[in-house]
Amino acid sequence: MEWTRAARYRAYDQYSALELMKLQAQATASPAQLHYHIRPQSGLLNDPNGFSYFNGEWTVFYQSFPFGAAHGLKSWVRLSSPDLVHWTNHGVAVLPDSDFDSHGAYSGSAHEVDGKLFLMYTGNHRDADWTRTPYQLGAWLDQDGRVTKLAQPLIDQPETVTEHFRDPQLFFHGDRWYALLGAQRATDQRGEMLLYSAPAVTGPWTAVGPIKLPLADLGYMVECPNLISVDGVPTFVFCPQGLPQAAASYQNIYPNMYLQGKDFDYQAATLEGAGELTNLDEGFDVYASQTFNAPDGTAYLISWVGLPDMAYPTDEQNWANCLSQVKELHQVDGQLVQQPVAAMTSLRQEEHRFAGEVETITPDGGQQLELAVTIAANQQGTLYLAASVDRKQSVQLRFDTAAGELVIDRATSGPQPTPDHGTTRTLKLPAKADLKLRLFLDHSLAEVFVNDGRQVATFRYFTSQENTALAFDRPTTASGSWWQLADQNQ
Amino acid sequence: MEWTRAARYRAYDQYSALELMKLQAQATASPAQLHYHIRPQSGLLNDPNGFSYFNGEWTVFYQSFPFGAAHGLKSWVRLSSPDLVHWTNHGVAVLPDSDFDSHGAYSGSAHEVDGKLFLMYTGNHRDADWTRTPYQLGAWLDQDGRVTKLAQPLIDQPETVTEHFRDPQLFFHGDRWYALLGAQRATDQRGEMLLYSAPAVTGPWTAVGPIKLPLADLGYMVECPNLISVDGVPTFVFCPQGLPQAAASYQNIYPNMYLQGKDFDYQAATLEGAGELTNLDEGFDVYASQTFNAPDGTAYLISWVGLPDMAYPTDEQNWANCLSQVKELHQVDGQLVQQPVAAMTSLRQEEHRFAGEVETITPDGGQQLELAVTIAANQQGTLYLAASVDRKQSVQLRFDTAAGELVIDRATSGPQPTPDHGTTRTLKLPAKADLKLRLFLDHSLAEVFVNDGRQVATFRYFTSQENTALAFDRPTTASGSWWQLADQNQ
């Protein structure tokens, strides 16, 4: 179907139950469908929202358009979990049903306040002439799952920014609440992050000012900004759209970057002692990552696996995208590392060990598995994931543990997302060193943790589910284990 | 809400997507929800339908009313599986959208014919004055999941029966197709099974006659009749509503019975050398079981866990019922036994063994588990399932392995289905013998296989998910293992 403006903005109650049931069946039966990640029941999923700890459970929402693989009228769908791995889907939580969010309940965040979860998000409103006004809105989620929206916006669009003003990250520091927003400056249409603060989540919210970073240009818009503490290190995670390649090299259509510093001055909104702007994920498909500090201080991260302005092969099955697994963030040797959460091991089925000169790890492991492997130093070769019997179809991980390089190549894995932003990604590794990988496959999603999470590469691939081998291209000195992984219901 | 006739028979496209999403979220988040059994995505599930092997996969459908815990307008929802344990939900397959099935696509069966699956089912039609006419209908499911209904009924209601004429079981024997139907005789309003045959599935279908059994009275209606071969033994599985207790003792509102014989004469429709009419399941909640002989001859059985004219505690969450796990049927020592299929072990997580004088098997095993236990002979005691810390809330299995008795008591497990047909079921066991149980819990469903499936007891229970203990009431000589079980997505 053609996604006309009218079709994309039709109210949810103007679709029939029968249409939705057909879309859900199509998504569920899709061979590419995820079995242990958060995925749309139908239609399109994008940004994670409201990632938080509330009422003794982990909570996350996602941006949802349930009626097709299109960026139509967005709502928030809520999930909860005891362990960050097993999620229960509670359905639509924030509907675009007020004047302020009439054209979409866009992204935002959440924080527990006095036994309720406060949601802060962007209402997307368009006038009859299609002029957009973004409102920063508030809502309360109670312990019974009921959402009550505040009657008035928390923050109106300031004159200093264009209509691109969104994605509030809410957090508490010292004795005040803060909200970090992505924006486009009105004067020069360049991207920036704006900090607001308030004595209470419901306001009054006042501008602290733009975040001051030692970066000349953040592109034309910053989406999904986050400021967290990673083991005490202030860390910005954000999506600077149109970032100049001179600022940091990236290959995806839009980057998801992080920047750490020595200290963050809340009064001056200044990151002091900033390091280098760095790609958060070395794969093809991570965007709009959301992070927060849990009550015990630990930083967790979850990402949209998908990108704006991209088409994916499942679009023709009327569904698209998923969320990444949750990662725990730490500083190790002065560097940010991303690790699977502890409960990911609860999905493991029978362990299969291997060691020595290994060629075929398994001919028929399927595409719902975890692999933990150490490839000895000073070797070249290819590790095939989701490989056909003749190895001609696969995701290739080409490693050189002498020179220190890992190339991820999905060119031979099947249909590609469009537009094409390259079919390989290259990771620099320590030279002449063992390479340690922890790798997850979920039918059309790969997540590769490199050297204990010093680098992570997350990406979709779309190959036949009959391609079930996990193998090297030649005898390779390696050891490790693999496990098939259990489903997790939503 | 009140389920008026108008509400129950509203067309599916007259419900909004938003209503359905809310119902699905409510069902998914229900603490009682099943995690590895076939369950409704929303609303009410009843009879399994079309249980078959097609296109290299196992297929089952279920009767569905997606809009609440009511017997409203029924459709067929289709699932497929490689192993009879992991199912993929393909959504609504047979909609009540023709004149012949205008008031429900009621139960039926399926058989592969020349690369397509032929569905034979009962169309429920009502006139403006609400007079019912049942039609036996045909439809083809192709390998792409498309359903094409035949234009005309296969069998019209004969004058010898009332409006109660339904649930065709289709099977092939010799060189002809047969259909076994449940019916109520017009002359005396008593139940019977009618056999039809045809040279092709599409007809012409002609009456062979009523099945002749050595039973005086099958009650007022027989529902869901099946004739299968269990290791060569002709076996009827059926639901004789209103069966006199003199014919066979039962406690459920309606019984699900089986009857085996030495031979079945297809020409005379006579079961020769019939044994005793026997309860198929010793639990509280099995009905409408459907069986078929797979291409290799093995008989498989799946049941509705739920009963007509009963209310269940989840009704107030707008969903009800589930299907049982699939069972493999065999003759052992001249007796029908029911066993879990082999792939059920694929759900097992880490094994926990126990042996000796056992009291608490696990204090926190949860309610998604399998237990295999042998209780030594000549002991009395209670095995608590889904038990609270103080053991006051639990499902009780009271055993006496001296006298030979097992009492299943759900009185202390929480809210009960209504009307109350007793809170205990008693199984006779061999005296002075070890008792071997293989037992599955799935949050609100228990399936107990007794002595290698010589008896099976299937039942729902509705207790807090915080009741996570599995324990004896006293030190008991026993040995075995338990496993938490993985989710299976649908």
Side-chain angles (χ1 to χ4, degrees):
Chain A
M1 76 179 277
E2 190 193 352
W3 284 102
T4 60
R5 181 184 289 177
R8 280 187 286 124
Y9 289 91
R10 236 169 107 194
Y12 288 16
D13 59 8
Q14 297 304 305
Y15 287 86
S16 85
L18 194 55
E19 286 174 276
L20 184 67
M21 288 161 75
K22 287 176 181 171
L23 290 165
Q24 290 177 336
Q26 196 175 23
T28 299
S30 167
Q33 192 50 268
L34 292 302
H35 280 243
Y36 63 94
H37 285 80
I38 295 173
R39 58 94 162 177
Q41 302 311 110
S42 62
L44 180 140
L45 167 157
N46 55 307
D47 307 3
N49 292 160
F51 190 25
S52 55
Y53 188 79
F54 167 55
N55 198 21
E57 290 188 310
W58 304 99
T59 294
V60 75
F61 304 76
Y62 62 77
Q63 286 277 294
S64 168
F65 176 66
F67 304 107
H71 286 272
L73 190 61
K74 296 288 175 68
S75 59
W76 286 33
V77 169
R78 178 169 70 96
L79 301 101
S80 67
S81 172
D83 62 3
L84 293 165
V85 172
H86 294 85
W87 295 95
T88 297
N89 189 324
H90 299 274
V92 180
V94 186
L95 272 169
D97 59 4
S98 78
D99 190 45
F100 296 115
D101 58 16
S102 57
H103 290 69
Y106 277 11
S107 288
S109 54
H111 203 293
E112 185 164 357
V113 182
D114 297 335
K116 292 186 181 179
L117 191 68
F118 188 75
L119 317 182
M120 189 169 182
Y121 70 102
T122 302
N124 184 44
H125 173 85
R126 288 190 184 270
D127 294 339
D129 66 358
W130 211 244
T131 301
R132 176 166 32 198
T133 308
Y135 296 101
Q136 311 312 318
L137 306 175
W140 291 102
L141 176 80
D142 70 19
Q143 297 192 0
D144 296 321
R146 281 183 300 257
V147 169
T148 308
K149 295 182 181 180
L150 302 194
Q152 293 299 321
L154 298 169
I155 303 173
D156 287 325
Q157 180 186 342
E159 288 183 4
T160 56
V161 303
T162 70
E163 60 172 334
H164 295 293
F165 176 58
R166 56 182 175 261
D167 309 337
Q169 185 215 11
L170 174 70
F171 57 93
F172 191 76
H173 177 81
D175 59 354
R176 287 184 75 80
W177 291 93
Y178 289 87
L180 182 67
L181 280 127
Q184 183 181 60
R185 275 195 299 269
T187 48
D188 58 0
Q189 283 82 55
R190 306 311 293 166
E192 64 180 3
M193 293 185 273
L194 295 178
L195 190 66
Y196 284 76
S197 84
V201 283
T202 51
W205 285 91
T206 51
V208 178
I211 301 291
K212 294 179 214 48
L213 303 173
L215 293 167
D217 187 349
L218 287 178
Y220 57 80
M221 171 62 188
V222 174
E223 291 197 304
C224 304
N226 299 262
L227 171 58
I228 47 157
S229 164
V230 179
D231 295 337
V233 176
T235 305
F236 282 91
V237 176
F238 57 108
C239 299
Q241 292 189 318
L243 182 78
Q245 290 283 347
S249 175
Y250 61 93
Q251 284 183 270
N252 295 348
I253 187 169
Y254 304 115
N256 199 160
M257 294 278 167
Y258 73 87
L259 180 68
Q260 298 192 301
K262 295 213 185 312
D263 193 27
F264 182 72
D265 181 333
Y266 284 80
Q267 277 72 46
T270 302
L271 183 67
E272 293 160 357
E276 286 200 4
L277 192 62
T278 307
N279 253 315
L280 180 67
D281 190 284
E282 304 292 339
F284 299 86
D285 299 296
V286 153
Y287 194 74
S289 298
Q290 191 167 78
T291 76
F292 81 108
N293 287 109
D296 74 354
T298 306
Y300 293 96
L301 177 140
I302 191 167
S303 304
W304 175 25
V305 188
L307 284 158
D309 304 323
M310 296 282 290
Y312 284 85
T314 64
D315 289 4
E316 60 187 48
Q317 297 161 9
N318 299 309
W319 73 278
N321 311 324
C322 64
L323 295 188
S324 72
Q325 64 174 279
V326 173
K327 292 150 201 168
E328 195 173 317
L329 306 183
H330 288 290
Q331 292 295 120
V332 176
D333 302 333
Q335 192 208 318
L336 180 77
V337 300
Q338 306 177 45
Q339 289 276 28
V341 299
M344 281 301 284
T345 60
S346 71
L347 297 175
R348 289 176 178 170
Q349 305 298 297
E350 188 186 351
E351 181 170 6
H352 305 273
R353 295 171 198 265
F354 58 88
E357 293 296 295
V358 181
E359 192 160 351
T360 298
I361 297 173
T362 171
D364 55 3
Q367 295 185 31
Q368 187 169 334
L369 58 79
E370 177 185 345
L371 168 69
V373 58
T374 300
I375 299 170
N378 301 309
Q379 298 183 97
Q380 290 85 33
T382 300
L383 175 59
Y384 299 116
L385 312 178
S388 60
V389 173
D390 64 7
R391 311 297 187 249
K392 286 184 179 168
Q393 295 171 55
S394 74
V395 172
Q396 296 191 8
L397 303 190
R398 294 194 294 270
F399 53 86
D400 181 338
T401 57
E405 188 178 84
L406 179 67
V407 177
I408 299 172
D409 188 345
R410 66 177 177 185
T412 58
S413 66
Q416 303 290 317
T418 56
D420 177 12
H421 284 266
T423 60
T424 63
R425 294 290 182 270
T426 300
L427 286 70
K428 285 289 159 204
L429 305 174
K432 298 177 187 168
D434 290 357
L435 168 60
K436 196 171 165 190
L437 302 177
R438 190 170 168 197
L439 186 155
F440 297 83
L441 295 188
D442 193 359
H443 299 281
S444 60
L445 171 65
E447 292 170 294
V448 186
F449 294 81
V450 180
N451 291 329
D452 296 310
R454 281 173 172 74
Q455 291 158 296
V456 179
T458 302
F459 56 96
R460 302 295 300 279
Y461 65 91
F462 301 91
T463 196
S464 166
Q465 296 300 312
E466 292 177 4
N467 297 338
T468 58
L470 195 59
F472 292 104
D473 67 331
R474 69 196 77 175
T476 301
T477 306
S479 65
S481 295
W482 70 275
W483 303 260
Q484 287 183 326
L485 296 183
D487 288 357
Q488 73 91 2
N489 281 327
Q490 289 162 32
Chain B
M1 75 179 278
E2 191 193 350
W3 284 102
T4 60
R5 181 183 290 178
R8 279 187 287 125
Y9 289 91
R10 236 169 107 192
Y12 289 16
D13 58 8
Q14 298 303 305
Y15 287 86
S16 83
L18 194 55
E19 285 174 277
L20 184 67
M21 288 162 75
K22 287 176 181 172
L23 289 164
Q24 290 177 336
Q26 197 176 22
T28 298
S30 168
Q33 192 50 269
L34 294 300
H35 281 242
Y36 64 95
H37 286 79
I38 294 173
R39 57 96 162 175
Q41 302 311 110
S42 62
L44 181 139
L45 168 157
N46 56 309
D47 308 1
N49 291 160
F51 190 25
S52 56
Y53 189 78
F54 167 56
N55 198 21
E57 290 187 311
W58 304 99
T59 294
V60 73
F61 304 76
Y62 62 78
Q63 285 277 294
S64 168
F65 176 66
F67 304 107
H71 286 271
L73 189 61
K74 297 288 175 69
S75 58
W76 287 32
V77 168
R78 176 169 70 97
L79 301 101
S80 66
S81 172
D83 61 2
L84 293 164
V85 172
H86 294 86
W87 295 95
T88 297
N89 190 323
H90 299 274
V92 180
V94 186
L95 273 169
D97 58 5
S98 78
D99 191 45
F100 296 115
D101 59 15
S102 57
H103 291 69
Y106 277 11
S107 287
S109 53
H111 203 294
E112 184 163 356
V113 182
D114 297 334
K116 290 185 182 180
L117 191 69
F118 188 74
L119 316 181
M120 188 170 183
Y121 70 103
T122 301
N124 184 45
H125 173 85
R126 287 189 185 271
D127 294 339
D129 66 359
W130 211 243
T131 300
R132 176 169 28 201
T133 307
Y135 296 101
Q136 310 314 318
L137 306 175
W140 292 102
L141 175 79
D142 70 19
Q143 297 192 359
D144 296 322
R146 281 183 299 257
V147 169
T148 309
K149 294 181 180 180
L150 302 194
Q152 293 298 321
L154 298 169
I155 303 174
D156 287 325
Q157 180 185 343
E159 289 183 5
T160 57
V161 303
T162 71
E163 60 172 334
H164 295 292
F165 176 59
R166 56 182 174 263
D167 308 338
Q169 184 215 12
L170 174 70
F171 57 93
F172 191 76
H173 178 80
D175 60 355
R176 286 184 75 80
W177 292 94
Y178 289 87
L180 182 67
L181 281 127
Q184 182 180 60
R185 274 194 300 269
T187 49
D188 59 359
Q189 283 82 55
R190 304 313 291 168
E192 64 181 4
M193 292 184 274
L194 295 178
L195 190 66
Y196 284 76
S197 83
V201 284
T202 51
W205 285 91
T206 52
V208 179
I211 300 292
K212 296 179 215 40
L213 303 173
L215 294 167
D217 187 347
L218 287 177
Y220 57 81
M221 171 63 188
V222 174
E223 292 197 303
C224 305
N226 300 262
L227 172 57
I228 45 157
S229 165
V230 179
D231 294 338
V233 177
T235 305
F236 282 91
V237 175
F238 57 110
C239 299
Q241 292 189 319
L243 182 78
Q245 290 283 346
S249 175
Y250 62 93
Q251 285 183 269
N252 296 348
I253 186 168
Y254 304 115
N256 198 160
M257 295 279 169
Y258 72 87
L259 181 67
Q260 297 192 302
K262 295 212 185 310
D263 194 27
F264 182 72
D265 182 332
Y266 283 81
Q267 277 71 47
T270 302
L271 183 68
E272 293 161 355
E276 286 200 3
L277 193 61
T278 308
N279 253 316
L280 180 67
D281 191 285
E282 304 291 340
F284 300 85
D285 299 296
V286 153
Y287 194 74
S289 298
Q290 190 166 78
T291 76
F292 81 109
N293 287 108
D296 74 353
T298 306
Y300 293 95
L301 177 139
I302 192 167
S303 304
W304 175 26
V305 188
L307 285 158
D309 304 323
M310 296 282 289
Y312 285 84
T314 62
D315 289 6
E316 59 188 50
Q317 296 161 9
N318 299 310
W319 73 278
N321 313 323
C322 63
L323 295 188
S324 73
Q325 64 174 278
V326 174
K327 291 149 200 168
E328 194 172 318
L329 305 183
H330 288 289
Q331 292 296 120
V332 176
D333 302 332
Q335 192 209 319
L336 180 77
V337 301
Q338 306 177 45
Q339 289 276 29
V341 299
M344 281 301 283
T345 60
S346 71
L347 297 175
R348 290 176 177 172
Q349 306 298 298
E350 189 187 349
E351 181 170 7
H352 305 274
R353 296 170 196 266
F354 57 90
E357 293 298 293
V358 181
E359 191 159 350
T360 298
I361 298 173
T362 170
D364 55 3
Q367 295 186 32
Q368 187 170 333
L369 57 79
E370 177 185 344
L371 169 69
V373 59
T374 300
I375 299 170
N378 300 309
Q379 298 184 97
Q380 289 84 35
T382 299
L383 175 59
Y384 299 117
L385 313 179
S388 60
V389 173
D390 64 8
R391 310 296 187 250
K392 285 184 179 168
Q393 296 170 56
S394 73
V395 173
Q396 296 190 10
L397 303 191
R398 293 194 294 270
F399 54 86
D400 181 337
T401 56
E405 189 178 83
L406 179 67
V407 176
I408 299 172
D409 189 344
R410 65 177 177 184
T412 58
S413 66
Q416 303 290 317
T418 56
D420 177 13
H421 284 266
T423 59
T424 62
R425 294 291 183 269
T426 300
L427 287 68
K428 285 290 158 203
L429 306 174
K432 297 176 186 168
D434 289 357
L435 169 59
K436 195 172 165 189
L437 301 177
R438 190 171 167 196
L439 187 154
F440 297 83
L441 295 188
D442 193 0
H443 299 281
S444 60
L445 171 65
E447 293 171 294
V448 186
F449 294 80
V450 180
N451 290 330
D452 295 310
R454 282 174 172 73
Q455 291 158 296
V456 179
T458 303
F459 56 97
R460 303 295 300 279
Y461 66 90
F462 301 91
T463 196
S464 166
Q465 296 300 314
E466 292 176 5
N467 297 337
T468 57
L470 194 60
F472 293 105
D473 67 331
R474 69 197 76 175
T476 301
T477 307
S479 64
S481 295
W482 70 275
W483 302 261
Q484 287 183 325
L485 297 183
D487 288 357
Q488 74 91 2
N489 281 326
Q490 290 160 34

